Amino acid sequence: MILVIGATGKIGGEVARLLTDSGKPLRALVRTPSKAGALTDLGVELAAGDLADSGSLDRAMQGVDRLFLVSVQDLRQAELQGNAVDAAVRNGVGHIVKVSGIAASISPGGPAEIGRQHWHTEHRIEETGVPFTFLRPGFFMQNLLATAAPMVARVGLLAAPMDGALIAMVDARDIAAAAAAVLTDDTHHDRVYDITGPRAFDYAQLAAVLADATEQHVRYVGTPPIMAAKVIRRQGHPDWYIQHLAEMAEMFRAGAGATVSSAVEDLTGRPPRSIESFAHEYAAMFRQGRAAPLVHTVARAGIGIASRAATFVRA
Ligand SMILES: NC(=O)c1ccc[n+]([C@@H]2O[C@H](COP(=O)([O-])OP(=O)(O)OC[C@H]3O[C@@H](n4cnc5c(N)ncnc54)[C@H](OP(=O)(O)O)[C@@H]3O)[C@@H](O)[C@H]2O)c1
């Protein structure tokens, strides 16, 4: 039995779909079963629970031999994921597959808050002696849907504090495919895989890809980090998150996202999705004429013309 934690999220939902497609016995820990209709439709067994509730983790892990662990990034991520690790040990789980962060951020004194949190969880898992596999993805292409798409759709501008940084963005569905592969094959114990897309590109090249996909003009505008932080603050995000995004952007500008890994193809037998195919698939979200929540936020904030606004990264 495989337990998926984070199954209502981007990666976990696709992991659940891929594992049910392959007929694996599967359970998902969900906080709100009534909102997990997509999992129920797949035939996934649901266990109501929360990473903050150790009793619910123990119940969910009955009879489980493999655990897939991903959860939302926040300041309690290491503490909450640590609860799952402890429960896995108590219940004799034989393999923990964890989605971590980009390799350059994984260190106890690393440059970004969430990277430090991931380091603590990785370290805790290693200390248990339970076989593990860590997947360390870079920047998700899906981030662009929440951040870049509204402004591209509104004014044809891709604004970000990225200068000419090369980033090998990865489709979250390919992280899930890699996870599904390692969850069903015992040869990946105690291994760490960097997970990226098939090539690195900068934001000017990304703008050209989006222009091609939408058949509309898209231009990249590099924005000062301070302007990007202002926009994110006006959206109501907490200080730690604004700081985290600034730290991640700085890492990317320093080249942290430029290295391309062959892990997705090595693990799944097929290449990861390209930014071109992602852009074509989601072109409607970038096409002009769509309402744009981010730009509305910018306008409400009185920050000025769109070319001065900034999109940011989630990582
Ligand atoms: N975005 C990037 O570019 C990037 C890059 C590298 C690494 N990452 C890492 O990827 C991870 C996020 O993956 P994702 O985008 O697939 O996540 P996501 O879409 O944000 O989904 C988070 C999942 O965690 C669940 N969850 C949150 N708190 C929980 C709790 N207390 N108990 C049980 N479940 C809980 C959520 O359930 P509910 O439905 O109940 O909320 C949801 O299923 C983070 O660790 C992040 O650091 C992200």
Side-chain angles (χ1 to χ4, degrees), residues 8-313:
T8 53
K10 290 182 285 299
I11 303 171
E14 181 71 359
V15 167
R17 192 186 68 74
L18 291 169
L19 291 174
T20 47
D21 275 1
S22 64
K24 302 292 174 198
L26 191 64
R27 185 180 298 151
L29 178 104
V30 293
R31 290 197 282 191
T32 317
S34 60
K35 291 187 187 163
L39 294 168
T40 314
D41 290 350
L42 287 171
V44 176
E45 178 187 331
L46 300 185
D50 194 306
L51 284 164
D53 174 359
S54 292
S56 72
L57 290 167
D58 282 333
R59 286 190 293 280
M61 286 194 204
Q62 296 294 311
V64 165
D65 53 1
R66 294 156 202 225
L67 169 64
F68 175 70
L69 179 58
V70 66
S71 65
V72 71
Q73 52 191 7
D74 63 29
L75 286 178
R76 294 183 67 203
Q77 181 180 268
E79 174 199 337
L80 293 173
Q81 293 197 358
N83 291 340
V85 175
D86 292 347
V89 173
R90 283 196 298 275
N91 290 279
V93 170
H95 184 195
I96 301 174
V97 177
K98 170 182 159 52
V99 174
S100 196
I102 191 165
S105 74
I106 307 296
S107 137
E113 171 65 36
I114 299 301
R116 295 190 289 274
Q117 300 251 348
H118 281 306
W119 180 87
H120 281 290
T121 308
E122 287 193 4
H123 189 63
R124 194 158 172 173
I125 292 171
E126 285 178 286
E127 281 183 334
T128 65
V130 175
F132 65 83
T133 311
F134 299 147
L135 303 176
R136 293 178 170 177
F139 187 113
F140 297 2
M141 292 179 189
Q142 277 75 6
N143 296 344
L144 300 170
L145 301 177
T147 56
M151 188 172 296
V152 171
R154 178 69 179 82
V155 288
L157 290 176
L158 178 65
M162 290 299 193
D163 296 341
L166 291 171
I167 307 175
M169 294 185 191
V170 61
D171 191 309
R173 293 168 296 183
D174 290 322
I175 307 166
V182 301
L183 281 162
T184 51
D185 178 345
D186 288 339
T187 63
H188 303 291
H189 286 186
D190 301 342
R191 304 287 297 273
V192 179
Y193 296 105
D194 294 334
I195 306 288
T196 73
R199 75 181 173 91
F201 48 86
D202 65 20
Y203 265 64
Q205 293 165 319
L206 173 61
V209 169
L210 294 173
D212 184 60
T214 57
E215 298 179 327
Q216 291 176 339
H217 186 71
V218 181
R219 185 166 64 90
Y220 170 53
V221 181
T223 49
I226 193 163
M227 180 62 71
K230 265 189 183 174
V231 172
I232 301 295
R233 178 164 284 112
R234 295 283 188 175
Q235 290 177 308
H237 292 291
D239 285 348
W240 76 263
Y241 185 67
I242 297 162
Q243 176 69 19
H244 166 70
L245 295 180
E247 289 161 346
M248 292 304 300
E250 195 175 336
M251 279 182 43
F252 283 120
R253 288 194 300 272
T259 305
V260 175
S261 152
S262 63
V264 170
E265 184 155 10
D266 297 343
L267 293 170
T268 69
R270 60 154 190 80
R273 292 167 176 84
S274 67
I275 188 64
E276 287 80 5
S277 95
F278 178 87
H280 277 93
E281 189 175 347
Y282 291 97
M285 295 189 66
F286 293 91
R287 204 158 275 136
Q288 286 168 35
R290 282 187 62 250
L294 173 61
V295 172
H296 291 164
T297 304
V298 172
R300 275 202 309 275
I303 285 173
I305 58 170
S307 63
R308 291 172 54 212
T311 57
F312 225 136
V313 296

